Amino acid sequence: MHLGRTTLSKFLLQQLRDIADGNDLGALLVDVAAAIKTISAMTAKGALGGYLGDLEQRNGQGELQKKLDVLANDTMIRHCEWGGLLAAMASEENDEALPIPPDCSRGPFLLVFDPLDGSSNTDVNVSVGTIFSVLRHREGASGDTADFLLPGQEQVAAGYAIYGPATMLVLTVGKGTHGFTLDREIGNFILTHPLMRIPADTGEFAINTSNARFWEAPVHRYVAECQAGRSGPRARDFNMRWIASMVAEVHRILVRGGVFLYPRDSKDAAKPGRLRLLYEANPIGLLVEQAGGAASTGRQRLLEVQPTSLHQRVPVILGSRNEVERIERYHVEHDSGTDRPFVSPLFNERSLFRPEALVS
Ligand code: AFP
């Protein structure tokens, strides 16, 4: 691999030559990369292209759609539906699985994606991204929603684009996590970050602390210890970040370490977490594990969660392995009742900080 010279296509030829349907998988990833280049051009043009602002419409989950949400979604579909590589697609922006048009041939893979992650940041010029996951389509399956309900460890490829000062594509085909930078002048993704590795330890955590009153006790315990710094039980200071674009948080973690938490909270009983399992947690979880990190719900390895619906949400805790394992330990100690000496009585199950307690 020659840094600064290896193109995405050459890299994929080398990485996939020993995989049975490697040529088809490589061709699909090249189609995804082409869609990402188009989305990158739109995000870079911003207001000058009329790409900012909301549409007066909501997606199937009732979320207000940005113009770029819909444009990015259409771009992913248009670039990937005709190559004869897919049995079906699914997207955050579409309620049901998307069949391949009858005039296009089908192929062995399923593609599921969040076309624009962090879209609430588009109008304020903060980095956003695209997240994608590739699964193998089982022989004889119909290509409807049920086919996508496979645990994350079944993914054959996963990746994200981050539309930042530079546009980067970070992906894995199960042989490590690798980063490519878009050279706009020649329109090629060039290998710049081979074999990315997440340090096992970190002093940086990312969580939306405005939700603190809804967290479970183990998360309170972990965050409180980080905030206590060198005078607390961790005997070291921590830094906090929250960009509100998961792709940007994860990219930082892949480059310099850290832990990202969007944990289970009691804000909405119908939503055990905010992030979607199939097209946010699973692809990011595979990238993180392939880079030596860990990805968990707090109580289970993320990639082993058995999906039950296309848009289901899941708690997400991922990044530097030793921190994720500490947080998992705190969940085990809480569930077994052995964490009492470490957790302020304010935050146990009958705490003042439970929403119903605050209301009464
Ligand atoms: P949007 O795509 O709706 O902006 O959500 C982004 C996201 O799914 C993820 O990328 C962020 O980490 C998280 O939500 C931010 O959530 P909060 O807005 O609750 O902090």
Side-chain angles (χ1 to χ4, degrees), residues 116-120 208 242 244-246 260 262 274-275 280:
L116 202 73
D117 173 65
S119 51
S120 55
N208 182 340
W242 190 251
S245 284
M246 182 188 196
F260 169 90
Y262 214 111
R274 174 181 167 107
L275 300 171
E280 290 175 327

Side-chain angles (χ1 to χ4, degrees), residues 28-332:
L28 172 60
L29 294 172
V30 167
D31 287 347
V32 172
I36 287 168
K37 290 178 204 172
T38 303
I39 298 168
S40 172
M42 287 194 274
T43 58
K45 200 130 178 109
L48 295 176
Y51 296 130
L52 303 187
D54 294 341
L55 295 171
E56 298 308 311
Q57 62 189 50
R58 293 178 180 275
N59 63 17
Q61 298 140 77
E63 295 164 332
L64 199 59
Q65 287 183 306
K66 298 279 187 187
K67 285 180 189 172
L68 266 177
D69 279 321
V70 174
L71 289 167
N73 196 47
D74 293 347
T75 299
M76 286 291 285
I77 294 168
R78 207 174 54 251
H79 275 77
C80 299
E81 67 181 354
W82 60 272
L85 301 160
L86 292 175
M89 282 185 266
S91 167
E92 179 183 54
E93 300 304 327
N94 299 87
D95 236 11
E96 302 300 328
L98 299 163
I100 298 305
D103 60 335
C104 299
S105 53
R106 290 156 53 102
F109 300 110
L110 299 170
L111 179 68
V112 54
F113 51 87
D114 178 356
L116 202 73
D117 173 65
S119 51
S120 55
N121 280 323
T122 47
D123 295 355
V124 295
N125 203 32
V126 168
S127 297
V128 293
T130 298
I131 310 173
F132 62 90
S133 168
V134 182
L135 298 160
R136 249 191 206 91
H137 181 236
R138 286 162 301 175
E139 278 308 311
S142 58
D144 67 13
T145 298
D147 295 351
F148 289 85
L149 305 184
L150 300 172
Q153 59 193 0
E154 301 289 325
Q155 295 172 99
V156 292
Y160 65 78
I162 177 168
Y163 309 111
T167 285
M168 284 192 68
L169 168 61
V170 176
L171 64 77
T172 182
V173 294
K175 297 180 179 176
T177 294
H178 308 273
F180 300 78
T181 302
L182 178 60
D183 180 338
R184 291 187 193 282
E185 287 166 19
I186 59 172
N188 248 343
F189 277 107
I190 305 295
L191 180 66
T192 51
H193 297 64
L195 277 178
M196 301 178 85
R197 300 299 293 171
I198 300 175
D201 294 300
T202 182
E204 199 158 62
F205 68 100
I207 192 167
N208 182 340
T209 50
S210 71
N211 296 324
R213 64 191 182 284
F214 301 118
W215 296 339
E216 293 184 277
V219 174
H220 272 294
R221 175 182 175 189
Y222 178 74
V223 172
E225 289 181 354
C226 291
Q227 291 169 327
R230 67 182 66 199
S231 57
R234 301 297 305 274
R236 68 166 293 172
D237 288 339
F238 281 76
N239 193 20
M240 200 201 90
R241 287 281 183 275
W242 190 251
I243 305 173
S245 284
M246 182 188 196
V247 166
E249 317 280 7
V250 168
H251 193 71
R252 183 188 60 249
I253 289 169
L254 278 166
V255 170
R256 70 185 192 207
V259 62
F260 169 90
L261 302 92
Y262 214 111
R264 177 188 304 278
D265 64 37
S266 56
K267 190 186 247 184
D268 180 343
K271 297 177 182 174
R274 174 181 167 107
L275 300 171
R276 306 310 197 295
L277 175 59
L278 286 183
Y279 42 80
E280 290 175 327
N282 275 346
I284 297 295
L286 183 62
L287 290 163
V288 165
E289 285 198 358
Q290 285 287 315
S296 173
T297 64
R299 294 182 169 89
Q300 181 181 11
R301 180 181 172 230
L302 255 182
L303 298 187
E304 291 176 354
V305 174
Q306 175 54 54
T308 53
S309 66
L310 197 58
H311 300 290
Q312 83 180 68
R313 300 170 192 263
V314 69
V316 174
I317 297 164
L318 53 77
S320 292
R321 176 166 292 279
N322 292 345
E323 290 302 297
V324 174
E325 288 175 356
R326 172 186 290 268
I327 297 166
E328 286 181 321
R329 195 167 60 247
Y330 289 3
H331 280 78
V332 169

